[in-house]
Structure formats: structure tokens, C-alpha cells
Amino acid sequence: MAQKPNWILICAASVIFLIIGILIGRYGINNNKDAESPEKAKMSAVVMEEISASNIGEYLKYLSSVPNLAGTPQDLEVARWVHDRFIKGGLDEAHLVPYKVLLSYPDKNNPNQVSLLDSDGKVNFTTSGRQTPLFSSEEFSPLVQPNFNAYSANGTVEGDLVYANYGRKQDFEYLKFIGIDIRGRIVIARYGAIFRGNIVKSAEDGGALGVILFSDPKDFAPEGRSSVYPNTTRLPGMAVQSGSVLLGYGDPLTPLYPALEGAYRLPETEAPLPKIPVQPIGYDEAEILLRSMSIDNPAPEDWQGGLNTTYFMGSKSTQRKWTVRLQVRMTQKLATAYNTIGILYGREEPDRYVLIGNHMDAWTLGGIDPASGTSVLVEMARTFGHIKEESNWRPRRTLMFCGWGAEEYGMIGSYEWAEEHAKVLIQRAVAYINVDSAMEGNYTLKSQTVPSLYSVIREAAKMVPNPNPVEVEAGRKTVFDTWLAANPDPRNPTQPRIGNLGSGSDYTVFSHVLGVPSIDVYYDYQEKAGSYPLYHTLYETYHTVANLMDPGFKYHLAVARLMAELTLSLSESVILPFDVPSYASFLEQDIAKIESRYKDVAVTNGATFEHFRKAVAHFRNATEYFTDNIIPRLDITNPLAVRKINDQLMQLERGFVDPHGLPGRPEFNHIVFAPSSVDKYSSDTFAGLVDLFKTVGNQTEAEQPGTWRQIKQHLSAISFLIGAAADSLREGF
């Protein structure tokens, strides 16, 4: 007779084995990762040791020696130089990728001008149209262009001046509120708060004839005219910030599609270009214009600047006294912009790409923007290529080093390339790491990214030695330590603050259109007023960087090491180091913020946040289950299982992409992150929804039925897409 089983022992044993299994599953993955860490740490040490500050300095000296405006022979020369450095540095291959696109140029022999006319029509003053060379020999180059804003309309207009502060929406609204009409007048506004193209758009919509832009010494030379370039990095009086006023992205003639041979191009008259002339001037010149204005309406205290005059807003009367004539002569033409793409293939997952990018074109000499970033990119490529050549080592995943063309005109090179390769990138791109200017100052690190990469950038910063000896002496030995001390996160003071991605650089198309997790890094300066003082001026020279900002290129070295560490983390980790619970926390905080602002007006008009909240709660549950249950049970020796998990992590960001685009903005697809509609540089979270609420204001559904219908529809889309992103983390269907 068979012996009866002892069910108590069997059950007890089963429970014990279950607990052991759970513990092994929960902690086994960590143990396996720990087993890999010595090799990874070794590679990190090798890469950091190989990166050379002196190489970065030599590259920057060459890159800033001659102006390389997009579409010019010098621009092609730089693209070829980067290509050659990629090949000589040991990358497997490199390619020049041309795109014929619409670019915009001034008349070199007949500069744009602003003239001041007295009541008899006599010209009393005319701007020079050029910046004055002050120090470095390269400032005297005949290749330096006259002052201009790309894509400005052509024409000569004449009218009295209206001062519009920083040209923000609220500034124009204030002028209207006090009875100053900008119609038929020329607006003068200062740089420093928002993207220049948004200033022009508001002026154009308000009926202005044209726009004059200047950088105020209150923001960019606060110590006065005696403490400016070439002795400091402060802005001299004849310095002019060039820049594009295009509000779109990519080639204006081929929106949403790449500018390939055979591409359909819009007629230029139908392209989304400004319709009024725009011209930047120096603050020495702006002072003369501002002194000529009517004294009827002194500007508010917070509109006053640093010039030696009281700032007035302009007369409420249209009767002309002293007037301004604005003459702009621009040529818009098809020109070829070049990308340079270098590739180092991965050893195990060659079809998974970690992209590292910087743009190569500059308005003038570009010592900071972009040469500081280009130099870092080239040195990174050399470092990884050299290690491959010397030790036969390759990263687990493929590295793609991307030098972008015509970024300054509107991220054109990166947009055209991403549009051309969108299908492949959506399937295979792991992440995009961007550096525009490697440093704008030497105060602290600054980074913008998506929540899933928060922990990656923070951990990488902990690995990089602090380039600031004063900070090291104070006990802050790493880049992370200074970052935390200088800029703690107000919501979590134990961590440094990380910003959201706007659209000021080449990450835009990857993050906001394709849904590729992206990150932007650079060293910042302390007094932030929209940009560093010498931004886009003639005085971004080698002298500025090597003697005034970063002697010895130690901060450049720190940025290069940080980017190398990010690259290693994203390319070498068996399991992609994406922090999905942080995304859940971000969504929870943001919906609370949006609800506090708009819930009452929404409920009054029949809209609800209920399903939005439920979707975020579902996302939280999905990320926690994925992190606490699915990942710990993973057999990392099974390449198919690893690939499945990594694909889920990689595709999570794509889950927030709406193929139909945001309401009224089909060029952007990401429902969580998008550029602000009133400032191209900055970011709004859930921008499509926020824009609709701003549009409807306090109007009821009866007064604005169309907008309220869009609000309800977009709330539904947001809820669905967040829920769908959560579902993508499931084990099965």
C-alpha cells in the first residue's frame, strides 16, 4: 500500500521554495549586474582617461578660426573635416549626407540698416549693419556676414517706434491695454526672455510694420561698458545676436517630409516665413533710437533697462514726429546643408543605436555655439574609435556620432535626416544624447531630459571629477556634487534639478516627433538671462573660450567625460537603464498641477480629468509591476528575453506619441513634452491641452463650442495614450 503524502510538509516546502524563488527573482538580476560592473567600471575608467582636454582645445581653435555659415563653402569644409576626424579616429565608417534646403542670407555689400529720421524726414543716424572687430584676428575675416535675422522678409518700412520690452505675449497685451497701438508702427524689443521668432510673430499678428531687436546691457553687460569683451565675457555695445526668426522646424519648403531629390517643395510664398522685416542691432545703436521716442508714456519699472536713458513705450497718437526707417535686403535661396554621420558598430546588438549629436554650423565664428560642442563630439568619437583600434573592444550597441548641418536656421539637418530615416529610428534608436554648446559658463552642469533618463544622468554625473578646484576644496568632488549644491530640485532637494526639453537644439525631432528618449547637457553660467552674453555674436572666439571661460579646457573635458559615461551606460548595460517609475511620478505631479489650474473651468463645461487620472494610476501600477516583478525574474543569459525587455523599455517613450499630432500643431506628436506655443525655446508639459485651456480662457462651452470639443477630445486622446504606454509594459498581450 502506498504511503500517504504528508501534505503539511509538502505545502511548507512549496512555500519555502516559492519564497526562495521570489528572492532569487527579485535580487538575482542585481547580483548579475554586480558581476558585470567591474568590466563596465574598467571601460569607464579607460574612456575617461583617454579623453584629452588638449585635443578638444586644438579642435576648437580650428573650428572657430573661420566663419562657417550653413550652406557656404566653409560649412562644407567643416563637415568634411569632421568626416575625416571620424575616420582617422577609428570609427567603422562615416558619411556626408547633403540636403538641398531653403536658407536665408544678407547682402554682404549692402547691409541691412535702421535709420532715424527727424520731423523733416532728414536722416540723423544710421546703424552700421556690422559688428566692430575688437581683439582677435579672425574677427576681421572678410567672410563675416553683416548683421541679420534669417528668414526676415525683405522691404523698406517707415514708422514711429513702439517699445515692447521682451516682446512676450503679455508685453504686447499690456501695450494694448494702455492704448498703444502697434499697427503701422515699428516695434523695438529686447532679447532675453523668449525665442526671437515668437516676438516677430506677435508683432506681425498685431499689425506692426517691422521689428528691431537688441540685447540690453541690464541683462548682458550689468557691470557697464567698461567691463565687456575682450576683457570679460560681457557683451560690448556693438555686439549683435544673429539668429533665425523661423517658427517652423526643418526645411520650410518640405514640411513633415525630407528634402530629398524629387521631393515636392512648397512655393516660397506659401512657406511659413515671417511677412515683416526684422533686424538686430547693438545696444549702443538701440540707445540712440530709444532716446528719440516720445516721452508721453514712460515704461513700467520692470521694463526699464541698462541704457543711459529712460525707456518710453511710444505715443498713443499716430501723428508722426521722429520716425525710423527699416531697410532689410535678404536673399532666400536653395542651398546645400551637410550632415556628417560616423558609425561604430556594436558587438552584440548592432541594430540598436545610441546617437550622440551636435551641430556644426555657426552664425559667425561660433567658438561657443557650436564649436565647443563639436570639439567634444569629435573627441568622443576619437576616444571610442581609438579604444576599438587598440584593444578590439566594441560597445554592446552601435554608436552613431552625428554632426548636424543648418541647425541655426531651424534644426534643419537633424530634422531632414530624422524624417528620412524615421521608420528605422522608431524601431531601433535607443536614445539620443545632445550637446549644442558644451559650455555657456563654468558655474554648474545643466541638463534637460525625459523622466526615464533622470537616474542615468545623475549617476553619470557622480562618476565625473569636478573641474572646479574651488568646489573640490569645498568637498564637492564630482560634477554631481556641485550640480546638487547649485541647483537642487525644489520638489526633491536631495537631487539636482533636471529640466524638460524645449526645442532649442537638435534633440527636438528625436524627442517631440519620434519619441526617442533624449537628453541635452552643458555647463551653464550663473546669471541666466535667456542666453550667455556673447550668444551668436562675432565675439564667440577662441580667445573667449580658451582665456576667459575655460583655460585648460577642464570644463569641456568634464562635459566630454559625462557624455562618454552616458554613452557607456546606454550602450553597454545589458538591461537598458531606464527609470520607468520616475516617469509615473512625473505624470502624477503634472496632472495634479494641471488639475489645480483648470479643473473647475473644465467641470463647469462638461469636461473631466477622471479618465486622465485613472490612466496615470494605471501607468503607475504598470511601471511598479514591471520593475518589481518582471525585471527581477529576467534570465539575462537569454538574449531573446533580454531583447524583449529592452524593446519594451525602448518603446515606452513612443507610447506617448500621437501620430495625428497635437491640436493645431501636427508637427509635434509627443503628448507629454512639446515646445511652448509662445516661446519656441521653452517647454510645456501636456502642451496641446494647456494651449487649448489658454485659448478658451474663461469662455463657456456655449461661447466656444469648438474649442471645448477639442479639449474633451484631447483629454480622451491623452488618457488613451498613457494607458496604451502602460499596457506596453505587460508580459503578454
Side-chain angles (χ1 to χ4, degrees), residues 641-715:
V642 169
R643 172 61 73 101
K644 175 181 178 293
I645 290 295
N646 281 338
D647 282 354
Q648 287 178 283
L649 288 165
M650 193 173 73
Q651 293 295 325
L652 180 65
E653 195 77 28
R654 273 70 141 184
F656 300 114
V657 168
D658 187 340
H660 303 291
L662 301 183
R665 301 171 74 190
E667 68 273 23
F668 292 114
N669 304 69
H670 203 297
I671 60 163
V672 182
F673 297 108
S676 165
S677 61
V678 296
D679 178 14
K680 183 176 173 180
Y681 281 151
S682 66
S683 171
D684 275 340
T685 50
F686 294 103
L689 186 63
V690 170
D691 284 346
L692 289 170
F693 275 117
K694 287 179 179 177
T695 298
V696 79
N698 294 320
Q699 296 176 91
T700 65
E701 187 173 18
E703 295 169 314
Q704 279 282 344
T707 306
W708 276 108
R709 184 169 60 248
Q710 283 185 298
I711 288 173
K712 294 173 185 178
Q713 184 179 28
H714 195 51
L715 274 168

Side-chain angles (χ1 to χ4, degrees), residues 212-369:
I212 300 167
L213 299 170
F214 74 100
S215 300
D216 198 297
K218 181 179 180 180
D219 297 321
F220 301 106
E223 293 86 5
R225 287 180 168 92
S226 62
S227 182
V228 297
Y229 181 88
N231 300 315
T232 77
T233 60
R234 301 302 195 188
L235 194 74
M238 289 300 288
V240 170
Q241 181 192 129
S242 295
S244 173
V245 290
L246 178 70
L247 278 178
Y249 303 83
D251 176 28
L253 302 185
T254 59
L256 305 180
Y257 294 94
L260 302 174
E261 185 178 354
Y264 173 77
R265 288 177 166 82
L266 294 174
E268 191 178 318
T269 54
E270 296 179 18
L273 304 176
K275 301 295 190 294
I276 59 176
V278 190
Q279 178 63 14
I281 62 175
Y283 63 74
D284 282 352
E285 299 169 321
E287 187 172 54
I288 295 170
L289 299 182
L290 291 170
R291 284 177 175 172
S292 75
M293 293 180 64
S294 166
I295 61 173
D296 294 343
N297 297 290
E301 182 62 31
D302 60 345
W303 286 37
Q304 298 296 323
L307 294 171
N308 188 25
T309 183
T310 300
Y311 290 38
F312 296 92
M313 294 178 289
S315 174
K316 296 179 182 180
S317 168
T318 57
Q319 180 179 357
R320 292 190 174 186
K321 298 177 183 178
W322 285 58
T323 59
V324 166
R325 179 185 298 151
L326 172 59
Q327 296 174 292
V328 174
R329 312 168 187 90
M330 299 292 296
T331 299
Q332 329 282 13
K333 66 178 184 180
L334 288 177
T336 303
Y338 293 88
N339 295 336
T340 303
I341 309 297
I343 302 174
L344 178 61
Y345 287 106
R347 67 181 185 272
E348 294 184 39
E349 298 182 71
D351 62 338
R352 292 294 181 263
Y353 313 141
V354 175
L355 299 100
I356 310 100
N358 157 268
H359 74 91
M360 303 177 292
D361 62 307
W363 291 115
T364 49
L365 298 168
I368 302 168
D369 181 7

Side-chain angles (χ1 to χ4, degrees), residues 81-141:
W81 180 87
V82 172
H83 171 276
D84 292 346
R85 289 300 169 279
F86 283 171
I87 293 299
K88 291 178 182 177
L91 298 189
D92 294 321
E93 57 188 65
H95 307 276
L96 283 180
V97 186
Y99 295 100
K100 186 167 285 189
V101 296
L102 186 72
L103 299 181
S104 177
Y105 302 97
D107 185 337
K108 282 193 68 174
N109 300 315
N110 198 7
N112 303 332
Q113 292 179 321
V114 179
S115 300
L116 180 62
L117 286 65
D118 64 19
S119 55
D120 296 324
K122 180 182 177 181
V123 175
N124 277 253
F125 167 75
T126 299
T127 58
S128 73
R130 300 182 187 275
Q131 298 175 77
T132 306
L134 296 175
F135 183 77
S136 299
S137 60
E138 58 267 31
E139 297 169 28
F140 295 84
S141 169

Side-chain angles (χ1 to χ4, degrees), residues 28 56 267 441 456 461 602:
I56 293 172
V456 176

